[in-house]
Amino acid sequence: MEWIVGLLTGIMTLLAPVGVISESLVEDALRDRLSSAESLQVRIDNVPTHQLLEGRVDRVRIAGRGLYPLPDARIALLDIETDPIDVQMDQVRQGHLRLEEPLQMAMHVVITEDDLQTALQSEAVIEQLQDWSEDIFGEGIDGYDLVDPKVQFLGDRRLQVKVQLQGRSPDVDPIAISAAVTIDALGAQVQLLDPQITIDNEPLPDELVNPVVQGLNQQLDLRSLENEGITARLLDWELTPDTLSIVAFVKAEPKALR
């Protein structure tokens, strides 16, 4: 949501006194929030001047290719199209973003396997994975560091993740973990199915695997965002051996951006 807040702020604070929005200035403002971008285009559908001055635009369309939110994290494609945006201009001029009406947008995101693999090797992502793993497994991985995470898109909505757990003590042997799952996602539900997890090439029994997968499925339930005023729904998605493509709908209530 931070990127969306930055997007809206960048658009609405660039209202000129005569009610004109410069698409090039908005593009520059968005680029400033990215590490880099190979291609980024913004189109803003204008409305009568008095509506612009009141903080309303009919539609914003963003087409990005090769976007880098972080130096080593690339998004191959990001297309966004919003419904009308209506903000409180008196608050924007004071440096605060306040929506008059909920923000609704459709998003199409494409990430390649190669780009995801590069991101997994970055220090920032590995640190996040380490924290996430400790939250899930608790003391089960205490004393270990995640090393060399790898991902492979297997096609037919199935992927495999491999990682080494390197002991922080020299007398502790490393542990090789491999996990393959099928992803079923539609609407608010994202489910991991048919998990196959091995540790040092030995398969884990279902009684150990199932509780972990159930916990992950609960965290992947998009309805958990609704308490924060965000409604997110997956409309379509595809996982091929090369790319992950997601089409989603996002609605943010005014309270979500405060």
Side-chain angles (χ1 to χ4, degrees):
M1 288 305 299
E2 291 181 1
W3 194 84
I4 296 175
V5 172
L7 162 66
L8 289 175
T9 304
I11 293 171
M12 302 313 297
T13 56
L14 288 171
L15 286 171
V18 295
V20 176
I21 299 178
S22 168
E23 292 172 345
S24 62
L25 287 178
V26 175
E27 289 178 16
D28 291 342
L30 297 181
R31 286 179 184 273
D32 288 343
R33 291 175 169 84
L34 297 167
S35 176
S36 63
E38 297 167 11
S39 173
L40 181 62
Q41 295 181 326
V42 175
R43 178 174 177 180
I44 301 171
D45 289 353
N46 290 328
V47 295
T49 298
H50 72 277
Q51 291 189 18
L52 286 170
L53 294 174
E54 292 170 358
R56 179 182 174 88
V57 295
D58 275 348
R59 180 170 57 181
V60 177
R61 283 175 281 185
I62 300 170
R65 303 294 184 270
L67 306 182
Y68 288 82
L70 299 172
D72 295 317
R74 180 179 183 269
I75 300 173
L77 177 150
L78 175 63
D79 287 338
I80 297 176
E81 182 172 326
T82 76
D83 283 354
I85 301 174
D86 198 352
V87 302
Q88 300 176 16
M89 280 306 299
D90 57 336
Q91 293 294 313
V92 169
R93 294 187 182 101
Q94 296 175 29
H96 307 294
L97 179 61
R98 298 289 186 268
L99 290 172
E100 290 279 9
E101 301 291 340
L103 165 68
Q104 298 187 140
M105 66 175 66
M107 305 177 65
H108 181 203
V109 182
V110 175
I111 301 174
T112 70
E113 181 191 86
D114 288 343
D115 288 337
L116 182 55
Q117 180 59 53
T118 299
L120 287 176
Q121 299 296 321
S122 70
E123 182 177 346
V125 173
I126 289 178
E127 289 179 356
Q128 291 181 357
L129 290 174
Q130 181 80 33
D131 294 340
W132 181 58
S133 300
E134 290 175 355
D135 289 340
I136 295 174
F137 299 105
E139 296 180 358
I141 63 169
D142 189 32
Y144 289 89
D145 291 321
L146 271 69
V147 178
D148 195 25
K150 296 179 180 177
V151 65
Q152 182 179 5
F153 294 172
L154 302 177
D156 197 23
R157 301 193 172 188
R158 192 166 180 83
L159 62 79
Q160 183 178 48
V161 177
K162 296 182 179 180
V163 67
Q164 290 267 348
L165 292 182
Q166 182 68 54
R168 295 169 186 165
S169 174
D171 58 350
V172 177
D173 293 331
I175 300 173
I177 299 178
S178 174
V181 295
T182 296
I183 303 174
D184 183 27
L186 186 64
Q189 294 287 334
V190 180
Q191 296 289 303
L192 306 181
L193 306 175
D194 190 22
Q196 297 177 357
I197 302 177
T198 65
I199 295 182
D200 289 336
N201 295 319
E202 293 292 331
L204 281 183
D206 291 344
E207 54 265 29
L208 295 180
V209 173
N210 290 339
V212 174
V213 173
Q214 290 172 3
L216 289 173
N217 286 339
Q218 290 178 357
Q219 293 189 25
L220 292 171
D221 190 338
L222 299 178
R223 290 173 296 187
S224 63
L225 299 173
E226 294 175 6
N227 291 333
E228 302 174 18
I230 302 169
T231 300
R233 296 293 184 266
L234 296 175
L235 305 179
D236 189 27
W237 81 287
E238 183 179 14
L239 182 64
T240 73
D242 298 314
T243 61
L244 168 64
S245 174
I246 300 171
V247 179
F249 166 82
V250 178
K251 177 181 179 180
E253 300 291 341
K255 70 175 184 179
L257 301 181
R258 296 193 177 187

